[in-house]
Amino acid sequence: LDWKQHVQTHRGLVAEARNDRAFYQVLARFVDGLQDAHVSPHIPSTYEATLGFSSDFIENKVLIENVDRLRLPEELFPFKKGDQLLAIGGVPVENLMKELEWASATGNKASADRFTAARLSTRREARGLSVPKGITTITALPVGAARPITVTVTWITKGIPVFEQDDLSDLL
């Protein structure tokens, strides 16, 4: 890690942050850039969203690990443990993994991939992640199926988001 470059890059991003959420996202990226699982930012937020299932990265595939059947009954969400997750909101999981990998920088690729896969279906603002809302789609390939299936689900949010001060530029 080039410490001086890392600080310089993020100092510029902090100066560009115009609200608390943007500042905390820069802070999270700064800390995650250290690639040390023992260090994490403390962002004062309990705001999070979940799709009602969890996923894991196994043998270079994102697989569904667990399904909350109270939120996602089998009639509406026919997937189960071991089915391959292919896309969320029409975006391939490979792209989402690349987009979210910064939030899982552990210094160990296998661990980082597993953490990132878990973040596909659960997003916590306390980690510096944007919290999705509303309806989305899930595309998965059930074990033994010839074709993928796409269903509609809703991001379920809870908690308290970061307080937003509209513009911090007067304070800088």
Side-chain angles (χ1 to χ4, degrees), residues 2 4 23 29 38 40 47 56 60 69-70 72 82 90 93-94 99-100 108 118 124 131 135 141 151-152 156 162:
D2 182 341
K4 287 183 181 182
F23 168 76
R29 286 181 183 262
H38 300 93
S40 62
Y47 193 49
D56 200 352
N60 294 315
R69 288 295 175 202
L70 293 176
L72 299 171
V93 293
E94 296 82 6
E99 180 183 320
L100 297 172
N108 178 296
R124 292 182 175 90
V131 176
I135 297 171
L141 181 64
V151 299
T152 301
I156 300 165
V162 168

Side-chain angles (χ1 to χ4, degrees), residues 117-133:
R119 289 190 172 96
L120 292 174
S121 59
T122 301
R123 312 275 176 88
R124 292 182 175 90
E125 190 176 52
R127 286 290 302 141
L129 298 171
S130 296
V131 176
K133 298 179 217 173

